[in-house]
Amino acid sequence: VAAQSKPLFPAMPLEQLVMALRLFTSARHEDHDLYLRILGEIPLQIRGITPELLTTCLRVLWRLRLNEETYLELFSMEAMNMIRAGKRRGGRTVRAPRRAPAPGRSAESGVASDVASPPEAPSPFTAEQLVRIGNALSQLSSQHPPRFIEVYHEQFALAIPRMTREECELVNPTLAMSPLMHDPLRRSFLERCAQVAAGKPLESSDVQIGRASC
Protein backbone atom coordinates (compact mmCIF):
# COMPACT_ATOMS: atom_id res chain seq x y z
CA VAL A 1 0.00 0.00 0.00
CA ALA A 2 2.83 2.39 0.84
CA ALA A 3 4.52 1.77 -2.50
CA GLN A 4 1.30 2.44 -4.40
CA SER A 5 0.54 5.54 -2.33
CA LYS A 6 3.81 7.40 -2.88
CA PRO A 7 3.03 8.59 -6.45
CA LEU A 8 -0.37 9.86 -5.28
CA PHE A 9 0.85 12.23 -2.57
CA PRO A 10 1.52 15.28 -4.80
CA ALA A 11 -2.14 15.34 -5.88
CA MET A 12 -3.62 14.82 -2.41
CA PRO A 13 -5.27 17.65 -0.47
CA LEU A 14 -3.85 18.53 2.92
CA GLU A 15 -6.45 16.67 4.97
CA GLN A 16 -5.77 13.42 3.10
CA LEU A 17 -2.01 13.85 3.46
CA VAL A 18 -2.34 14.19 7.22
CA MET A 19 -4.72 11.23 7.34
CA ALA A 20 -2.23 9.09 5.41
CA LEU A 21 0.54 10.23 7.76
CA ARG A 22 -1.52 9.30 10.79
CA LEU A 23 -2.73 5.94 9.46
CA PHE A 24 0.69 4.68 8.39
CA THR A 25 2.04 5.76 11.77
CA SER A 26 -0.79 3.98 13.60
CA ALA A 27 0.06 0.82 11.66
CA ARG A 28 3.69 1.26 12.82
CA HIS A 29 4.93 1.05 9.25
CA GLU A 30 8.68 1.63 9.19
CA ASP A 31 9.44 3.54 6.00
CA HIS A 32 11.41 6.74 6.53
CA ASP A 33 11.12 7.68 2.85
CA LEU A 34 7.32 7.37 2.98
CA TYR A 35 6.99 9.82 5.85
CA LEU A 36 9.40 12.31 4.34
CA ARG A 37 7.47 12.21 1.07
CA ILE A 38 4.21 13.00 2.85
CA LEU A 39 5.81 15.72 4.97
CA GLY A 40 7.43 17.18 1.87
CA GLU A 41 4.00 17.94 0.41
CA ILE A 42 2.54 19.56 3.53
CA PRO A 43 4.51 22.88 3.36
CA LEU A 44 2.93 23.57 -0.04
CA GLN A 45 -0.51 23.62 1.61
CA ILE A 46 0.43 24.76 5.12
CA ARG A 47 -1.72 27.90 4.92
CA GLY A 48 -4.82 25.73 4.80
CA ILE A 49 -3.99 23.72 7.89
CA THR A 50 -6.40 23.65 10.84
CA PRO A 51 -5.52 23.47 14.55
CA GLU A 52 -6.61 19.83 14.59
CA LEU A 53 -4.42 18.87 11.62
CA LEU A 54 -1.41 20.78 12.93
CA THR A 55 -1.72 19.08 16.32
CA THR A 56 -1.94 15.70 14.58
CA CYS A 57 1.20 16.42 12.54
CA LEU A 58 3.24 17.22 15.64
CA ARG A 59 1.94 14.19 17.50
CA VAL A 60 2.90 11.99 14.56
CA LEU A 61 6.40 13.45 14.49
CA TRP A 62 6.72 12.59 18.16
CA ARG A 63 5.41 9.05 17.68
CA LEU A 64 7.89 8.54 14.84
CA ARG A 65 10.67 10.17 16.91
CA LEU A 66 11.28 12.20 13.75
CA ASN A 67 13.34 15.11 15.01
CA GLU A 68 13.43 17.03 11.72
CA GLU A 69 14.21 20.64 12.62
CA THR A 70 12.70 21.94 9.36
CA TYR A 71 9.26 20.55 10.12
CA LEU A 72 9.37 21.32 13.83
CA GLU A 73 10.06 24.97 13.04
CA LEU A 74 7.47 24.99 10.26
CA PHE A 75 4.68 23.72 12.52
CA SER A 76 5.79 25.92 15.43
CA MET A 77 5.77 29.06 13.31
CA GLU A 78 2.42 28.18 11.73
CA ALA A 79 0.91 27.61 15.18
CA MET A 80 2.24 31.02 16.20
CA ASN A 81 0.75 32.65 13.09
CA MET A 82 -2.64 31.03 13.75
CA ILE A 83 -2.64 32.26 17.35
CA ARG A 84 -1.69 35.78 16.29
CA ALA A 85 -4.39 35.80 13.63
CA GLY A 86 -6.91 34.74 16.28
CA LYS A 87 -5.75 37.53 18.58
CA ARG A 88 -6.20 40.11 15.82
CA ARG A 89 -9.75 38.91 15.28
CA GLY A 90 -10.56 38.57 18.96
CA GLY A 91 -8.91 41.66 20.35
CA ARG A 92 -6.83 41.98 23.53
CA THR A 93 -5.48 38.89 25.23
CA VAL A 94 -4.05 38.23 28.68
CA ARG A 95 -0.27 37.93 28.71
CA ALA A 96 1.58 35.26 30.63
CA PRO A 97 2.83 36.36 34.07
CA ARG A 98 6.42 37.58 34.18
CA ARG A 99 6.91 36.88 37.88
CA ALA A 100 5.64 34.23 40.22
CA PRO A 101 2.26 35.34 41.61
CA ALA A 102 1.91 36.05 45.31
CA PRO A 103 -0.27 33.61 47.28
CA GLY A 104 -3.95 34.39 46.84
CA ARG A 105 -3.34 36.99 44.12
CA SER A 106 -3.32 34.85 40.97
CA ALA A 107 -6.04 36.93 39.30
CA GLU A 108 -3.87 40.05 39.53
CA SER A 109 -0.84 38.31 38.04
CA GLY A 110 -2.53 37.49 34.74
CA VAL A 111 -3.41 33.84 35.45
CA ALA A 112 -6.80 33.67 37.06
CA SER A 113 -8.22 31.16 39.49
CA ASP A 114 -11.66 29.54 39.48
CA VAL A 115 -13.14 32.62 41.12
CA ALA A 116 -11.87 35.10 38.53
CA SER A 117 -11.41 33.55 35.10
CA PRO A 118 -9.66 35.46 32.32
CA PRO A 119 -12.00 37.24 29.91
CA GLU A 120 -10.95 35.16 26.90
CA ALA A 121 -10.41 31.50 26.15
CA PRO A 122 -7.32 30.35 24.28
CA SER A 123 -7.80 30.56 20.54
CA PRO A 124 -7.66 28.91 18.09
CA PHE A 125 -6.19 25.94 19.99
CA THR A 126 -8.02 24.22 22.83
CA ALA A 127 -6.27 23.51 26.12
CA GLU A 128 -5.86 19.85 25.15
CA GLN A 129 -4.31 20.79 21.80
CA LEU A 130 -1.88 23.19 23.49
CA VAL A 131 -0.82 20.42 25.86
CA ARG A 132 -0.34 17.92 23.04
CA ILE A 133 1.64 20.45 20.98
CA GLY A 134 3.82 21.24 23.97
CA ASN A 135 4.33 17.55 24.78
CA ALA A 136 5.49 16.80 21.25
CA LEU A 137 7.78 19.81 20.90
CA SER A 138 9.37 19.40 24.32
CA GLN A 139 10.21 15.75 23.62
CA LEU A 140 11.50 16.32 20.10
CA SER A 141 13.50 19.52 20.42
CA SER A 142 15.26 21.47 23.15
CA GLN A 143 15.43 24.60 20.99
CA HIS A 144 12.30 26.63 20.34
CA PRO A 145 12.02 29.95 18.47
CA PRO A 146 11.79 32.75 21.10
CA ARG A 147 8.77 34.28 19.34
CA PHE A 148 6.91 30.99 19.52
CA ILE A 149 7.76 30.53 23.22
CA GLU A 150 6.31 33.94 24.07
CA VAL A 151 3.07 33.28 22.20
CA TYR A 152 2.79 29.78 23.69
CA HIS A 153 3.21 31.23 27.19
CA GLU A 154 0.36 33.66 26.56
CA GLN A 155 -1.99 30.97 25.32
CA PHE A 156 -1.13 28.50 28.07
CA ALA A 157 -1.72 31.21 30.68
CA LEU A 158 -5.25 31.57 29.30
CA ALA A 159 -5.79 27.82 29.18
CA ILE A 160 -4.68 26.91 32.71
CA PRO A 161 -7.76 28.19 34.64
CA ARG A 162 -10.04 26.15 32.34
CA MET A 163 -8.05 22.91 32.32
CA THR A 164 -9.88 19.81 33.49
CA ARG A 165 -8.37 17.05 35.57
CA GLU A 166 -7.88 14.93 32.46
CA GLU A 167 -6.17 17.78 30.58
CA CYS A 168 -3.84 18.48 33.51
CA GLU A 169 -2.86 14.81 33.63
CA LEU A 170 -1.97 14.87 29.91
CA VAL A 171 0.96 17.22 30.60
CA ASN A 172 4.20 15.31 30.14
CA PRO A 173 7.02 16.01 32.64
CA THR A 174 9.20 17.07 29.70
CA LEU A 175 6.73 19.88 28.99
CA ALA A 176 6.39 20.86 32.64
CA MET A 177 10.18 21.26 32.93
CA SER A 178 10.81 22.80 29.50
CA PRO A 179 11.15 26.47 28.46
CA LEU A 180 7.58 26.20 27.16
CA MET A 181 6.43 26.35 30.79
CA HIS A 182 8.46 28.88 32.73
CA ASP A 183 8.32 29.22 36.52
CA PRO A 184 5.21 31.44 36.84
CA LEU A 185 3.25 29.19 34.47
CA ARG A 186 4.53 26.08 36.24
CA ARG A 187 3.32 27.41 39.56
CA SER A 188 -0.09 28.33 38.14
CA PHE A 189 -0.34 24.91 36.51
CA LEU A 190 0.44 23.11 39.76
CA GLU A 191 -2.15 25.24 41.55
CA ARG A 192 -4.71 24.20 38.94
CA CYS A 193 -3.71 20.54 39.37
CA ALA A 194 -4.40 20.88 43.09
CA GLN A 195 -7.78 22.51 42.41
CA VAL A 196 -8.98 19.70 40.14
CA ALA A 197 -7.20 16.90 42.08
CA ALA A 198 -5.07 15.97 39.07
CA GLY A 199 -2.85 12.97 39.77
CA LYS A 200 -4.85 12.02 42.84
CA PRO A 201 -5.56 8.27 43.12
CA LEU A 202 -9.12 7.33 42.27
CA GLU A 203 -11.47 6.70 45.17
CA SER A 204 -12.48 3.08 45.68
CA SER A 205 -16.05 3.96 44.69
CA ASP A 206 -14.81 5.46 41.39
CA VAL A 207 -12.81 2.32 40.67
CA GLN A 208 -15.84 0.12 41.32
CA ILE A 209 -17.98 2.28 39.03
CA GLY A 210 -15.33 2.06 36.32
CA ARG A 211 -15.18 -1.72 36.61
CA ALA A 212 -18.95 -1.98 36.47
CA SER A 213 -19.09 0.15 33.31
CA CYS A 214 -16.48 -2.10 31.65
Side-chain angles (χ1 to χ4, degrees), residues 1-210:
V1 173
Q4 294 179 7
S5 300
K6 289 178 182 179
L8 304 177
F9 293 145
M12 283 187 180
L14 182 60
E15 186 173 356
Q16 291 183 11
L17 287 170
V18 176
M19 181 180 294
L21 187 67
R22 181 174 60 84
L23 291 177
F24 279 113
T25 305
S26 298
R28 299 183 180 181
H29 181 61
E30 296 183 3
D31 188 340
H32 191 74
D33 178 67
L34 170 74
Y35 297 118
L36 289 182
R37 288 199 183 196
I38 299 175
L39 289 168
E41 298 296 332
I42 291 179
L44 302 176
Q45 305 182 52
I46 193 66
R47 294 305 178 191
I49 202 167
T50 64
E52 293 79 10
L53 293 179
L54 191 146
T55 304
T56 298
C57 287
L58 283 169
R59 293 184 67 188
V60 166
L61 289 180
W62 171 74
R63 290 189 63 182
L64 293 172
R65 304 299 191 271
L66 196 58
N67 193 349
E68 292 285 344
E69 194 65 31
T70 300
Y71 296 111
L72 292 176
E73 184 174 354
L74 172 69
F75 293 133
S76 297
M77 291 296 96
E78 187 58 28
M80 182 187 72
N81 292 336
M82 294 168 71
I83 292 170
R84 285 180 169 175
K87 288 167 60 178
R88 287 195 294 269
R89 291 192 298 268
R92 185 181 64 86
T93 187
V94 177
R95 297 181 65 85
R98 295 296 183 183
R99 294 174 296 178
R105 299 178 61 86
S106 58
E108 295 180 11
S109 67
V111 180
S113 62
D114 282 338
V115 178
S117 298
E120 302 174 24
S123 174
F125 296 96
T126 65
E128 180 178 343
Q129 289 170 343
L130 287 171
V131 170
R132 294 196 182 280
I133 289 172
N135 283 345
L137 289 175
S138 62
Q139 293 179 86
L140 285 171
S141 175
S142 59
Q143 301 294 326
H144 310 288
R147 293 175 298 166
F148 171 76
I149 292 179
E150 181 179 356
V151 171
Y152 187 88
H153 286 169
E154 292 177 359
Q155 291 301 294
F156 210 79
L158 292 173
I160 286 175
R162 295 177 172 82
M163 290 177 69
T164 64
R165 174 175 178 170
E166 291 75 16
E167 289 168 343
C168 287
E169 292 175 348
L170 285 176
V171 174
N172 193 286
T174 58
L175 170 58
M177 300 304 296
S178 75
L180 294 176
M181 192 182 293
H182 56 25
D183 288 343
L185 279 182
R186 193 174 299 118
R187 174 174 176 170
S188 299
F189 169 68
L190 292 176
E191 289 176 351
R192 182 59 181 171
C193 288
Q195 292 170 358
V196 298
K200 182 180 179 181
L202 294 175
E203 300 291 342
S204 58
S205 58
D206 294 335
V207 174
Q208 293 174 1
I209 292 174

